Amino acid sequence: MTLSVAIAGASGYAGGEVLRLMAAHPELEVRTVTAHSNAGQPLIDVHPHLRSYADLELRETTAETLAGHDIVVLALPHGASGAIAAELPDDVLVLDCGADHRLTSEAAWQRFYGGEYHGAWAYGLPELIHVDGTRQREKLVGARRVAVPGCNVTAVSLGLVPGIRAGVIEAHDTTAALAVGPSGAGRTLRTDLLASELLGSAAPYAVGGVHRHIPEILQNVALAGAADASISFTPVLVPMARGILATVTARLAPGVDEAGLRAAWVDAYADEPFVHVLPAGRFPTTASAVGANTALIGLALDADAQRAVIVVALDNLVKGTAGAAVQSLNLALGLPETLGLPVNGVAP
Amino acid sequence: MTLSVAIAGASGYAGGEVLRLMAAHPELEVRTVTAHSNAGQPLIDVHPHLRSYADLELRETTAETLAGHDIVVLALPHGASGAIAAELPDDVLVLDCGADHRLTSEAAWQRFYGGEYHGAWAYGLPELIHVDGTRQREKLVGARRVAVPGCNVTAVSLGLVPGIRAGVIEAHDTTAALAVGPSGAGRTLRTDLLASELLGSAAPYAVGGVHRHIPEILQNVALAGAADASISFTPVLVPMARGILATVTARLAPGVDEAGLRAAWVDAYADEPFVHVLPAGRFPTTASAVGANTALIGLALDADAQRAVIVVALDNLVKGTAGAAVQSLNLALGLPETLGLPVNGVAP
Amino acid sequence: MTLSVAIAGASGYAGGEVLRLMAAHPELEVRTVTAHSNAGQPLIDVHPHLRSYADLELRETTAETLAGHDIVVLALPHGASGAIAAELPDDVLVLDCGADHRLTSEAAWQRFYGGEYHGAWAYGLPELIHVDGTRQREKLVGARRVAVPGCNVTAVSLGLVPGIRAGVIEAHDTTAALAVGPSGAGRTLRTDLLASELLGSAAPYAVGGVHRHIPEILQNVALAGAADASISFTPVLVPMARGILATVTARLAPGVDEAGLRAAWVDAYADEPFVHVLPAGRFPTTASAVGANTALIGLALDADAQRAVIVVALDNLVKGTAGAAVQSLNLALGLPETLGLPVNGVAP
Amino acid sequence: MTLSVAIAGASGYAGGEVLRLMAAHPELEVRTVTAHSNAGQPLIDVHPHLRSYADLELRETTAETLAGHDIVVLALPHGASGAIAAELPDDVLVLDCGADHRLTSEAAWQRFYGGEYHGAWAYGLPELIHVDGTRQREKLVGARRVAVPGCNVTAVSLGLVPGIRAGVIEAHDTTAALAVGPSGAGRTLRTDLLASELLGSAAPYAVGGVHRHIPEILQNVALAGAADASISFTPVLVPMARGILATVTARLAPGVDEAGLRAAWVDAYADEPFVHVLPAGRFPTTASAVGANTALIGLALDADAQRAVIVVALDNLVKGTAGAAVQSLNLALGLPETLGLPVNGVAP
């Protein structure tokens, strides 16, 4: 079986990473790539690292060019995928790497994004635990419309959910500060994303509860049973191309000790192929996750501060985007969940 | 008036930065520099950027070589300055860039450092506000023994204290996650400080309430009147040589609004030459502070999370160490507080 | 005496660095700053590191706003300064940080830049040695129109000229490969200048003899007496905000030995305050020059390859641009040449 | 068929990269990993990015622990592999990533390395063209002792050899300046390899004809028929963990034009799976090669300088070391040459 794939928005970083991962997937063949301003160019001109696609050319992003494939991946700016998706047949697997179909609350959509609301699709974070103990992966089996999570959301949700569901931390009054690489912002011409600005600098943005990933985190936490969740969320751009290092803290539930705390995450991820809890006293670096579809988690109990500290490292373009898309695709189509996905990072 | 200066530990990063700043100070002349393993070498061999000191040679760190100067700066590993300082005359101004004389609590010293406790000196953070509204600078006038604060401590204390004293945030259950450059760890041969390890990576350390700067932060906050302060503190090494970007959060006091919140910091620092509160909606980057003796502060009120977010940027080697030393020195000796200190950063 | 300064193009990196240096200059006061797209904004919004200019506002770049100052610095894209300069009075000192008035050959201008040729101004590289042994600084005394050299040109010219004039290397068939930071390309929104592209990467550009700095290098070398000079010149963008590390090679003249080679540069720069030849076996890093108006030079004789290797490090924004402007300004106005210029770098 | 592999020196960067590549190779299983100071530790403690090896433990590097495998990879400091290799059976495939068995000239060994000379092994650069038009890969078929080339050597040799053999450039008086990441120097505790030193800096080393890779380059060029080869070779450390960007120049042979020049490289590498010549006007970045076993080449003819400029980008740990080892291993054992080797890089 070889499944045919089209990628819309293939000239960006998310699209490029989907291409990189799919090149190593035994059941997939990317046949069509589209872009906006780069249409007509060889793909390799915009992604010179993707030698295996030396023969592909970028085409216009239209429903026609995307038609006739088993799988369509949308790697477009938010607001752009709703209309395109509506034109694609129901039996085509469509994965949206953008934000258009992540939020189940139209009110949250309107507050954080605005514009037409297109409804929520099956949410592509397989490891997410629901209050009843089931995993989100069950919702992905057989799905034909998948919303790939936001990269920061994946990091923070994987960090918070096991503890909340196990009752060892509170969902109320959590905090997350993230060191993030600029590739998460896309191949966008903005002054603050210039190398001269970011080299040698750490730069916060969307400070004070305004980042669009906040409602998505709270939505995930709510699925784990938290009614009163809240989070102070601050991303900080740092000079590394890729990677998210999320420092998440949460109030300890009364009476929790170190062993009880740790057990919540260890148990939750014991059978997960892509999420790993490090031994006590060890904490992950983003370098350990770069290029891999893994999320690495370190845990500590701060008795003085009465908070748990959960540090999560992942590659925003892999486990945070393109790897999540491929993992969800595997589940949707009944393929082995880990098929074609790298578990080893590229370090140093 | 020219005052004669000796610097012990001049081959490290803190010592080098003291030298850089003192070269621009009109009343100081560094006559003696000492080191451990590099003794006997020209200073410029270990600090090739310090051309104005091309004639100085590193000598052994002994009480004899340090004797006979008006000012002695100790830039030594913690545990080393207590003994040296005891041998220096009382009327010599001694500034300790290490940790030996920062903590007023012997119990805190024993818990976080261990070894012999040498007592606390006048604390070199002039902008620190006491509960009675006085500033720490008053304690520095005429001092002859000064403990230069820890770099992370300065960032977090400057961020927390105005709000706590004004009663707009709670001192209990604060959090701080810091993106920090490796120069704060000194010129130390450790695998995790290698360029190959840190380039492209964010790496947390001392996670879970064990960092030595925690008791010092709480000590400062207590001076502002907080009895029940606590902090979850997590530093993350990121690939920039210098700089601290501290994301500090604190619970809002009941009924505080944006204007009331902002007023606490604006009022506290209105007359400070080296601490600046940015306008609403703007947040600092470390690049804006590199090379300067400034701390830049951005503020937001997150109504959903019911937390204030205080972002503080400074250069760990300047306002975080060497600049604080020179600023304290100016105060101790009755010179203008800002003398010789840069207010403009080096960017990009 | 306080001289009044206007800076056109003050929102860019070169303009920002001129501002930084002038803040430390005792005889200058920047009163007017202009920009194109940022006109109307506070200067500190675009240069948040320049706290000493918190009261300045960017105005439109017109001859009117620039009028009435003793000194006008043009930090504009090439092609823009010719027309502006023509409208300024002859007795105003005008320093052009752009390329418009560097080349003495209209043919070279047409080949490498194109468009209207505006003639050459006094060339702002004081250390440049002419064939008759005089220095370029003599040409700057009393000048009212100064062309600030290209940053790469300064690095390569300082490296080549002493050896060529002394006859120890050949001017024919030289090579230069430069590791350069992206700030030299300005605050320009180009995909290849994005942090995501450059972090973790080295990227050559203008390969094969097409870089605009080539004719300017050959012009400088010709002044030193070389009739047949040629250079293979390749710049490579690397992930550091500032700095140029030029590796220059030249054929050895017959019979030259190590001592004879070294003497050429040592003698040439013995009295120069801003150019330093390192001892045998030592080579400069760009970190040693960042923030300073210095050029550091290391030399080796490769007997097997029969080439001299001259490594030059400088800060493209200081000795490569803004420092050269201030140094030239000092000479033009009869001030001490080193006034207000930093000799120590900011490292690490 | 599954072949058993032991890796000596597995705790270093080269060893880690061999492990990463072998994890994706369908015919190999790494069963033994050894180290010096880290013996006894879980492998994943020193390589936290290598999740697929979570069960392996580092053992002592002895002939006994290495015995009983089909393949032994030595990733040891130079001088260490000769003795170990002598104790391994002749029919075991031994690949030495160090320098001990690269040079065919004992005189060159003594001059550049010194100590006992162990003779040369089959040289693991399959694409190398000999004067008779054969490729080095033929020498690797059936080999049981393979010397993996130096990383810089691979970059420069791939750049020079086609032009020299085709007669379009001269082998005499070539130059190479390389921007290189610090991982090529290994996981070594040296001050100049600290992150604080290298972040924001470019740092040359081994300047002036003393780098140990020089005789190896000349040896390769001699195989292509050059009798009088010489090279001025300068490596410059830049702040990226991996990658080599080699700017190589060579005198043009008389009468060569652009088409003739380009044809030499295009023809030489037309059928090579891992070496690619970019179209005219395009030049490679190291980011395009990171993580992949590819070398990317850009070419220009500088008519003014009468030199060809050949820019080569590769990942020092992949095509420069571990990928070359696996590619050679495939050839030695009769496997498809490209088996298990990535052709796509990891960018941005």
Side-chain angles (χ1 to χ4, degrees):
Chain A
M1 170 180 67
T2 296
L3 297 159
S4 162
V5 181
I7 301 175
S11 59
Y13 297 142
E17 196 67 359
V18 171
L19 282 157
R20 185 179 75 88
L21 295 181
M22 288 193 171
H25 194 293
E27 307 291 349
L28 304 179
E29 184 181 327
V30 180
R31 298 215 178 115
T32 298
V33 286
T34 78
H36 184 62
S37 55
N38 298 106
Q41 277 194 275
L43 178 67
I44 201 155
D45 278 8
V46 297
H47 290 308
H49 62 298
L50 297 178
R51 297 296 317 176
S52 74
Y53 295 101
D55 297 332
L56 275 187
E57 187 171 291
L58 288 162
R59 303 172 61 191
E60 288 287 346
T61 303
T62 65
E64 287 69 39
T65 53
L66 300 175
H69 300 84
D70 301 305
I71 301 162
V72 174
V73 179
L74 304 174
L76 303 168
H78 77 82
S81 36
I84 288 274
E87 296 192 59
L88 296 169
D90 288 350
D91 62 341
V92 169
L93 172 56
V94 183
L95 301 118
D96 186 0
C97 295
D100 289 20
H101 305 92
R102 293 175 188 159
L103 295 181
T104 55
S105 155
E106 180 167 0
W109 172 266
Q110 290 301 344
R111 176 174 165 201
F112 283 88
Y113 293 90
E116 195 180 353
Y117 176 62
H118 290 277
W121 289 354
Y123 189 72
L125 184 50
E127 298 89 353
L128 193 63
I129 315 172
H130 294 241
V131 64
D132 62 4
T134 58
R135 302 282 167 142
Q136 178 63 19
R137 61 170 49 82
E138 300 176 25
K139 306 279 196 271
L140 289 162
V141 176
R144 287 298 172 269
R145 293 292 184 274
V146 174
V148 178
C151 54
N152 299 306
V153 177
T154 295
V156 177
S157 300
L158 290 175
L160 281 175
V161 163
I164 289 172
R165 185 168 172 276
V168 296
I169 57 171
E170 296 183 18
H172 182 67
D173 196 26
T174 64
T175 73
L178 296 87
V180 302
S183 61
R187 212 168 205 168
T188 311
L189 292 178
R190 260 168 39 199
T191 300
D192 66 320
L193 298 178
L194 286 176
S196 294
E197 303 285 323
L198 195 54
L199 283 161
S201 192
Y205 68 99
V207 182
V210 300
H211 196 284
R212 287 166 166 159
H213 284 171
I214 292 173
E216 193 181 338
I217 293 168
L218 296 179
Q219 174 175 303
N220 290 343
V221 165
L223 290 176
D228 64 340
S230 66
I231 188 160
S232 165
F233 175 92
T234 312
V236 177
L237 283 172
V238 300
M240 58 190 189
R242 301 179 170 222
I244 294 173
L245 198 290
T247 301
V248 182
T249 79
R251 295 184 191 174
L252 292 169
V256 172
D257 64 7
E258 184 102 29
L261 186 81
R262 174 166 293 277
W265 282 263
V266 169
D267 294 352
Y269 297 131
D271 298 327
E272 290 296 342
F274 295 122
V275 184
H276 304 285
V277 182
L278 303 191
R282 296 190 79 93
F283 296 89
T285 65
T286 59
S288 303
V290 164
N293 194 46
T294 53
L296 303 176
I297 299 180
L299 290 170
L301 183 155
D302 184 339
D304 292 327
Q306 280 294 298
R307 284 197 169 250
V309 186
I310 310 114
V311 180
V312 185
L314 54 77
D315 182 330
N316 56 300
L317 291 178
V318 190
K319 185 59 183 158
T321 307
V326 172
Q327 191 179 346
S328 298
L329 172 161
N330 286 338
L331 287 162
L333 298 177
L335 299 169
E337 184 174 344
T338 61
L339 197 66
L341 286 165
V343 297
N344 291 333
V346 181
Chain B
M1 170 181 65
T2 296
L3 298 159
S4 163
V5 181
I7 302 175
S11 60
Y13 296 142
E17 195 68 359
V18 171
L19 282 158
R20 185 178 76 88
L21 295 181
M22 289 192 170
H25 194 293
E27 306 291 349
L28 304 179
E29 184 180 328
V30 181
R31 296 213 180 118
T32 298
V33 286
T34 78
H36 183 63
S37 55
N38 298 106
Q41 277 194 274
L43 178 68
I44 201 156
D45 278 8
V46 299
H47 292 307
H49 62 298
L50 297 178
R51 297 297 317 176
S52 74
Y53 295 100
D55 297 332
L56 275 187
E57 187 171 291
L58 288 161
R59 303 172 60 192
E60 288 286 346
T61 303
T62 65
E64 287 69 39
T65 53
L66 299 175
H69 300 84
D70 302 303
I71 300 162
V72 175
V73 180
L74 304 173
L76 302 167
H78 76 82
S81 36
I84 288 273
E87 297 191 60
L88 297 170
D90 289 350
D91 61 341
V92 169
L93 171 57
V94 183
L95 301 117
D96 186 0
C97 296
D100 288 20
H101 305 93
R102 293 175 188 158
L103 296 182
T104 55
S105 155
E106 181 166 359
W109 172 266
Q110 291 300 345
R111 176 173 166 202
F112 284 88
Y113 293 91
E116 192 179 355
Y117 176 63
H118 290 277
W121 289 354
Y123 189 72
L125 184 50
E127 298 87 352
L128 194 62
I129 315 172
H130 293 242
V131 64
D132 61 3
T134 59
R135 301 283 166 140
Q136 179 62 19
R137 61 170 49 83
E138 299 176 23
K139 307 277 197 270
L140 290 161
V141 176
R144 286 299 173 267
R145 293 292 185 273
V146 174
V148 179
C151 53
N152 299 306
V153 177
T154 296
V156 176
S157 300
L158 290 176
L160 281 175
V161 163
I164 289 172
R165 186 168 172 278
V168 295
I169 58 170
E170 298 183 17
H172 181 66
D173 196 26
T174 64
T175 73
L178 297 86
V180 302
S183 61
R187 212 169 204 166
T188 312
L189 292 178
R190 262 169 36 200
T191 300
D192 66 319
L193 297 178
L194 287 176
S196 294
E197 302 285 323
L198 195 54
L199 283 161
S201 192
Y205 67 100
V207 182
V210 300
H211 196 284
R212 286 163 166 162
H213 284 172
I214 292 174
E216 193 180 339
I217 294 168
L218 297 179
Q219 174 176 303
N220 290 342
V221 165
L223 290 177
D228 64 340
S230 66
I231 189 161
S232 165
F233 175 92
T234 312
V236 178
L237 283 172
V238 300
M240 56 190 190
R242 301 179 170 223
I244 294 175
L245 198 290
T247 301
V248 182
T249 79
R251 294 184 192 175
L252 292 169
V256 173
D257 63 6
E258 185 101 30
L261 186 81
R262 174 165 293 276
W265 282 263
V266 168
D267 293 352
Y269 297 131
D271 298 326
E272 290 295 342
F274 296 124
V275 183
H276 304 285
V277 182
L278 304 191
R282 297 189 79 93
F283 296 89
T285 66
T286 60
S288 303
V290 164
N293 194 46
T294 53
L296 302 177
I297 299 181
L299 291 169
L301 183 155
D302 184 339
D304 291 327
Q306 279 295 297
R307 283 198 169 252
V309 186
I310 310 113
V311 180
V312 186
L314 55 76
D315 182 331
N316 56 301
L317 291 177
V318 189
K319 184 59 184 159
T321 305
V326 173
Q327 190 179 347
S328 297
L329 173 160
N330 286 338
L331 287 163
L333 298 176
L335 299 169
E337 184 174 343
T338 60
L339 197 66
L341 286 166
V343 297
N344 291 333
V346 181
Chain C
M1 170 181 65
T2 296
L3 298 159
S4 162
V5 181
I7 302 175
S11 60
Y13 297 141
E17 196 68 359
V18 171
L19 282 157
R20 184 177 77 87
L21 295 181
M22 288 192 171
H25 194 292
E27 306 291 350
L28 305 180
E29 184 180 327
V30 180
R31 297 215 179 116
T32 298
V33 285
T34 76
H36 183 61
S37 55
N38 298 105
Q41 278 193 273
L43 178 67
I44 202 156
D45 279 8
V46 298
H47 291 307
H49 61 297
L50 296 178
R51 296 297 317 177
S52 74
Y53 296 100
D55 297 331
L56 274 188
E57 188 172 290
L58 287 161
R59 302 172 61 192
E60 288 285 346
T61 303
T62 65
E64 286 69 39
T65 53
L66 300 175
H69 299 84
D70 301 304
I71 300 162
V72 175
V73 180
L74 305 174
L76 303 167
H78 77 82
S81 36
I84 288 274
E87 297 190 59
L88 296 170
D90 288 351
D91 62 340
V92 169
L93 172 56
V94 183
L95 301 117
D96 185 1
C97 295
D100 288 21
H101 306 91
R102 293 174 188 158
L103 295 182
T104 55
S105 155
E106 180 166 0
W109 172 265
Q110 290 301 343
R111 175 175 166 200
F112 283 88
Y113 294 90
E116 194 179 353
Y117 175 63
H118 290 277
W121 289 355
Y123 188 73
L125 183 50
E127 298 87 354
L128 192 63
I129 315 171
H130 293 241
V131 64
D132 61 3
T134 59
R135 301 282 167 142
Q136 178 63 20
R137 62 170 48 84
E138 300 177 24
K139 306 279 197 271
L140 290 161
V141 176
R144 285 300 172 268
R145 292 293 184 273
V146 173
V148 178
C151 53
N152 299 305
V153 177
T154 296
V156 176
S157 299
L158 290 175
L160 281 175
V161 163
I164 289 172
R165 186 169 170 277
V168 296
I169 57 171
E170 297 183 16
H172 182 66
D173 196 26
T174 65
T175 73
L178 296 87
V180 301
S183 61
R187 213 168 203 166
T188 311
L189 293 178
R190 259 168 39 197
T191 301
D192 66 319
L193 297 178
L194 287 175
S196 294
E197 303 285 323
L198 194 55
L199 283 161
S201 192
Y205 68 99
V207 183
V210 299
H211 196 285
R212 285 163 166 161
H213 284 171
I214 293 174
E216 194 181 339
I217 294 168
L218 296 180
Q219 175 176 303
N220 290 344
V221 166
L223 291 176
D228 64 339
S230 66
I231 189 161
S232 165
F233 176 92
T234 313
V236 177
L237 284 171
V238 300
M240 58 189 189
R242 299 177 173 226
I244 294 173
L245 197 291
T247 302
V248 182
T249 79
R251 295 184 191 174
L252 293 168
V256 172
D257 63 7
E258 185 101 29
L261 187 81
R262 172 164 293 276
W265 282 263
V266 169
D267 294 352
Y269 297 131
D271 299 326
E272 290 295 342
F274 296 124
V275 183
H276 304 285
V277 181
L278 304 190
R282 297 190 79 94
F283 296 89
T285 65
T286 59
S288 304
V290 164
N293 194 46
T294 54
L296 303 176
I297 299 179
L299 290 170
L301 183 155
D302 184 339
D304 292 327
Q306 279 296 297
R307 282 197 170 252
V309 186
I310 310 113
V311 180
V312 185
L314 55 77
D315 182 330
N316 55 299
L317 292 177
V318 191
K319 185 59 185 158
T321 305
V326 173
Q327 191 179 347
S328 297
L329 174 161
N330 285 339
L331 287 163
L333 298 177
L335 299 168
E337 184 174 344
T338 60
L339 197 65
L341 286 166
V343 297
N344 291 333
V346 181
Chain D
M1 171 180 66
T2 296
L3 297 159
S4 162
V5 181
I7 302 175
S11 61
Y13 297 141
E17 195 67 359
V18 171
L19 282 158
R20 185 177 77 87
L21 295 181
M22 287 191 171
H25 193 292
E27 307 292 349
L28 304 179
E29 183 180 329
V30 180
R31 298 216 178 117
T32 298
V33 286
T34 77
H36 184 61
S37 54
N38 298 106
Q41 277 194 273
L43 179 67
I44 201 156
D45 279 9
V46 298
H47 291 308
H49 62 298
L50 297 178
R51 296 297 317 176
S52 74
Y53 295 101
D55 298 331
L56 274 187
E57 188 172 290
L58 287 161
R59 303 172 61 193
E60 289 285 346
T61 303
T62 64
E64 287 69 40
T65 53
L66 299 175
H69 300 84
D70 302 304
I71 300 161
V72 174
V73 179
L74 304 173
L76 302 168
H78 77 83
S81 36
I84 287 274
E87 296 191 60
L88 296 169
D90 288 350
D91 61 341
V92 169
L93 173 56
V94 182
L95 300 117
D96 186 1
C97 295
D100 289 20
H101 305 92
R102 292 175 189 159
L103 295 182
T104 54
S105 156
E106 180 166 0
W109 172 265
Q110 291 301 344
R111 176 174 165 200
F112 284 88
Y113 294 89
E116 194 179 354
Y117 175 63
H118 290 278
W121 289 355
Y123 189 72
L125 184 50
E127 299 87 352
L128 193 62
I129 315 172
H130 294 240
V131 63
D132 60 4
T134 60
R135 301 283 167 142
Q136 179 63 18
R137 61 171 48 85
E138 299 177 25
K139 306 280 197 270
L140 290 161
V141 177
R144 286 300 173 268
R145 293 293 184 273
V146 174
V148 179
C151 53
N152 299 306
V153 177
T154 295
V156 176
S157 300
L158 290 175
L160 281 175
V161 163
I164 289 172
R165 187 169 169 276
V168 296
I169 57 171
E170 296 183 18
H172 181 66
D173 196 26
T174 64
T175 73
L178 297 85
V180 302
S183 62
R187 213 168 202 167
T188 311
L189 292 177
R190 260 168 40 198
T191 300
D192 66 320
L193 298 179
L194 287 176
S196 294
E197 301 285 323
L198 195 54
L199 283 161
S201 191
Y205 68 100
V207 182
V210 300
H211 195 285
R212 286 164 166 162
H213 284 171
I214 293 173
E216 194 181 337
I217 294 168
L218 296 179
Q219 175 176 301
N220 290 342
V221 165
L223 290 176
D228 63 340
S230 66
I231 188 160
S232 165
F233 175 92
T234 313
V236 178
L237 284 172
V238 299
M240 58 188 189
R242 302 177 170 223
I244 294 173
L245 198 290
T247 301
V248 183
T249 78
R251 295 184 191 175
L252 292 169
V256 172
D257 63 8
E258 185 102 30
L261 186 83
R262 173 164 293 275
W265 282 263
V266 169
D267 293 352
Y269 297 131
D271 299 326
E272 289 295 343
F274 296 124
V275 184
H276 305 284
V277 181
L278 303 190
R282 296 190 80 94
F283 296 89
T285 66
T286 60
S288 304
V290 164
N293 194 46
T294 53
L296 303 176
I297 299 179
L299 291 170
L301 184 156
D302 184 338
D304 292 328
Q306 279 295 298
R307 283 198 170 251
V309 186
I310 310 114
V311 179
V312 186
L314 54 78
D315 182 329
N316 55 301
L317 292 177
V318 190
K319 186 58 185 157
T321 306
V326 173
Q327 189 179 349
S328 297
L329 172 161
N330 285 339
L331 287 163
L333 298 176
L335 299 168
E337 184 174 343
T338 60
L339 198 65
L341 286 166
V343 297
N344 291 333
V346 180

